[in-house]
């Protein structure tokens, strides 16, 4: 039943993207991908991985070459459309990090000034080690904070600046600092520094009627339909709601700035610490050494109900963005990387 609904949704929505019907993408190995081959690849992945809905964009040479929004948004099997939103989860972080780097360029804060000097944080004030934490440590995940405190007291597990430990809590603290310094709500700062300059629309850090009306339901652990709990307010680590063609505008800007010196992305992409045999954490993004050179990426997972990822290859000017309403990001990423390498 799900397969038939996905296929039906795919056929209906294909009409919306006739402008890309003759698009060609040059793979990392130099092969040419036609639109119908990409369509077939996506259809097969959604069917085999049982992905209810997918919003995906492929970018090359600074342009959105391919875009598709297809599948079903809820248990009723209602088709998604180009306005359907997904939880971006941790792909919120690079957007906020970009805004932070712009503010650093403007002299509004410093990468290495201890954050407590800007904004004392009562949640962790009992541990003096927090006074060592800087924006750099937040952006490269070396604050010592856990990812989330999960209702418990906030703690520092290792001395700030010494070990990599992925942390949404660090971003939350930096969000408080930035809002305090700029004297504006964090959603206004993100709009001012990122969304409006890049022409990004219908992308929100806060809940509103548009989001409630257009957000796809997610399938937790690929089993249970529903939505995550109500927002308690904007969260610079996880609360962005958007979709692929809009987030692609952000990735296109990163790719453009990758080719220039002195840009915001040049600051974001400085490697800070090796965290795997071929992977480094930078300042708001991750860097990976691949057989085709350096790739930059960031993924997202909110409660195993919404997954997302973006990646682009530094020397090939090729990248992608996708959002889904289930827990299959790792599998799709692996297959998509191979497809963009070999066309198979």
């Amino acid at each position: 039943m799900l397969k038939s609904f996905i296929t039906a949704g795919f056929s209906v929505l294909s009409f919306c993207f006739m402008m890309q019907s003759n698009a060609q993408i040059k793979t990392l190995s130099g092969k040419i991908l036609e639109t119908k081959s990409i369509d077939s690849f996506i259809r097969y992945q959604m069917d085999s991985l049982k992905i209810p809905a997918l919003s995906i964009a492929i970018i090359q040479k600074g342009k959105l070459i391919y875009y598709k929004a297809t599948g079903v948004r809820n248990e009723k099997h209602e088709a998604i459309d180009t306005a359907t939103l997904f939880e971006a989860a941790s792909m919120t972080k690079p957007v906020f990090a970009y805004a932070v780097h712009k503010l650093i360029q403007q002299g509004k804060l410093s990468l290495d000034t201890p954050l407590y000097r800007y904004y004392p944080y009562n949640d962790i004030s009992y541990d003096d080690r927090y006074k060592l934490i800087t924006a750099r440590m937040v952006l490269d995940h070396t604050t010592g904070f856990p990812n989330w405190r999960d209702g418990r007291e906030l703690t520092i597990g290792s001395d700030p600046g010494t070990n990599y430990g992925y942390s949404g809590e660090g971003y939350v603290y930096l969000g408080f600092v930035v809002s305090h310094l700029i004297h504006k709500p964090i959603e206004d700062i993100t709009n001012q520094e990122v969304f409006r300059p890049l022409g990004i629309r219908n992308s929100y850090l806060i809940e509103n009627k548009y989001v409630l009306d257009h957000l796809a339901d997610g399938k937790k652990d690929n089993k249970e339909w529903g939505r995550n709990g109500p927002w308690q307010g904007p969260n610079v680590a996880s609360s962005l709601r958007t979709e692929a063609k809009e987030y692609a505008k952000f990735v296109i800007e990163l790719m453009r700035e990758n080719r220039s010196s002195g840009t915001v992305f040049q600051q974001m992409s400085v490697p800070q610490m090796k965290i795997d045999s071929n992977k480094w954490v930078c300042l708001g993004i991750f860097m990976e050494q691949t057989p085709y050179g350096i790739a930059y990426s960031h993924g997202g997972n909110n409660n195993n109900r919404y997954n997302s990822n973006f990646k682009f290859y530094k020397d090939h000017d090729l990248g992608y963005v996708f959002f889904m309403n289930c827990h299959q990001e790792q599998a799709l990423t692996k297959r998509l990387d191979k497809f963009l390498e070999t066309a198979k």
Side-chain angles (χ1 to χ4, degrees):
M1 180 65 74
L2 178 59
K3 177 181 177 181
S4 64
F5 273 95
I6 289 176
T7 303
F10 198 101
S11 300
V12 170
L13 287 168
S14 293
F15 177 78
C16 299
F17 313 117
M18 294 302 289
M19 64 178 180
Q20 287 135 356
S21 60
N22 297 318
Q24 290 185 335
I25 294 171
K26 187 176 182 180
T27 68
L28 297 168
S29 60
K31 298 178 180 179
I32 299 299
L33 279 172
E34 304 284 350
T35 298
K36 68 177 183 178
S37 297
I38 306 171
D39 284 343
S40 296
F41 169 82
I42 291 172
R43 187 181 295 113
Y44 177 78
Q45 303 313 320
M46 293 185 70
D47 187 23
S48 62
L49 295 175
K50 295 181 171 56
I51 299 170
L54 183 69
S55 177
I56 184 169
I58 300 176
I59 302 156
Q60 193 158 53
K61 294 183 179 179
K63 294 181 180 180
L64 180 64
I65 301 297
Y66 180 93
Y67 167 65
K68 188 73 67 176
T70 185
V72 298
R73 58 177 291 163
N74 54 33
E75 195 170 13
K76 297 177 182 178
H77 290 179
E78 295 174 343
I80 72 166
D81 58 30
T82 59
T84 300
L85 302 178
F86 297 79
E87 292 192 13
S90 286
M91 276 170 55
T92 311
K93 292 183 178 76
V95 173
F96 175 66
Y98 186 89
V100 169
H101 284 290
K102 285 189 72 174
L103 295 172
I104 290 171
Q105 282 191 338
Q106 296 164 23
K108 303 291 178 60
L109 74 158
S110 167
L111 195 58
D112 294 308
T113 296
L115 295 182
Y116 87 97
R117 295 184 182 175
Y118 299 121
Y119 183 81
Y121 197 23
N122 290 335
D123 288 19
I124 193 66
S125 60
Y126 70 91
D127 189 333
D128 273 351
R129 290 181 297 171
Y130 104 92
K131 294 182 178 180
L132 300 172
I133 294 173
T134 64
R136 183 187 301 275
M137 295 174 194
V138 169
L139 298 174
D140 70 7
H141 296 281
T142 59
T143 60
F145 289 155
N147 188 17
W148 299 112
R149 69 185 85 181
D150 294 327
R152 299 185 294 270
E153 183 178 58
L154 182 60
T155 59
I156 297 176
S158 60
D159 290 345
T162 60
N163 295 307
Y164 170 79
Y166 190 83
S167 176
E169 291 285 355
Y171 270 74
V172 169
Y173 180 26
L174 184 55
F176 291 148
V177 170
V178 168
S179 183
H180 174 74
L181 288 174
I182 308 304
H183 307 294
K184 288 183 179 180
I186 202 68
E187 62 270 22
D188 291 349
I189 296 169
T190 304
N191 285 334
Q192 174 182 308
E193 300 295 338
V194 186
F195 293 157
R196 281 200 294 270
L198 300 182
I200 295 173
R201 302 177 178 86
N202 299 331
S203 299
Y204 306 93
L205 286 174
I206 57 173
E207 190 172 76
N208 57 38
K209 187 177 186 304
Y210 186 91
V211 170
L212 293 173
D213 290 345
H214 291 85
L215 182 66
D217 290 352
K219 206 168 186 183
K220 181 175 173 59
D221 296 320
N222 306 316
K223 297 175 182 178
E224 173 196 348
W225 281 102
R227 294 185 179 182
N228 290 325
W231 304 0
Q232 302 302 312
N235 186 318
V236 299
S238 64
S239 74
L240 177 63
R241 271 61 171 171
T242 187
E243 51 81 36
K245 70 178 180 298
E246 293 302 310
Y247 200 97
K249 297 175 182 177
F250 175 63
V251 179
I252 287 170
E253 179 63 13
L254 299 186
M255 294 171 73
R256 184 191 70 79
E257 293 187 9
N258 171 59
R259 299 188 296 272
S260 304
S261 60
T263 63
V264 173
F265 181 71
Q266 291 290 331
Q267 296 175 3
M268 283 181 65
S269 60
V270 175
Q272 301 296 299
M273 183 176 292
K274 195 169 188 177
I275 57 176
D276 205 340
S277 59
N278 62 347
K279 192 171 185 178
W280 292 258
V281 62
C282 302
L283 293 170
I285 200 166
F286 293 93
M287 185 182 83
E288 178 184 359
Q289 179 66 53
T290 79
Y292 295 93
I294 295 296
Y296 298 102
S297 66
H298 207 296
N301 171 24
N302 269 2
N303 199 27
N304 290 356
R305 195 183 292 279
Y306 299 91
N307 278 187
S308 55
N309 199 14
F310 80 84
K311 178 182 287 189
F312 71 88
Y313 292 84
K314 177 180 175 67
D315 298 324
H316 293 266
D317 214 9
L318 175 65
Y320 61 79
V321 183
F322 68 75
F323 299 91
M324 62 174 68
N325 56 346
C326 66
H327 188 44
Q328 291 285 18
E329 176 269 324
Q330 291 186 0
L332 181 60
T333 294
K334 184 176 180 180
R335 295 181 184 188
L336 183 56
D337 286 343
K338 182 179 178 182
F339 182 64
L340 292 178
E341 175 188 346
T342 65
K344 294 179 182 179

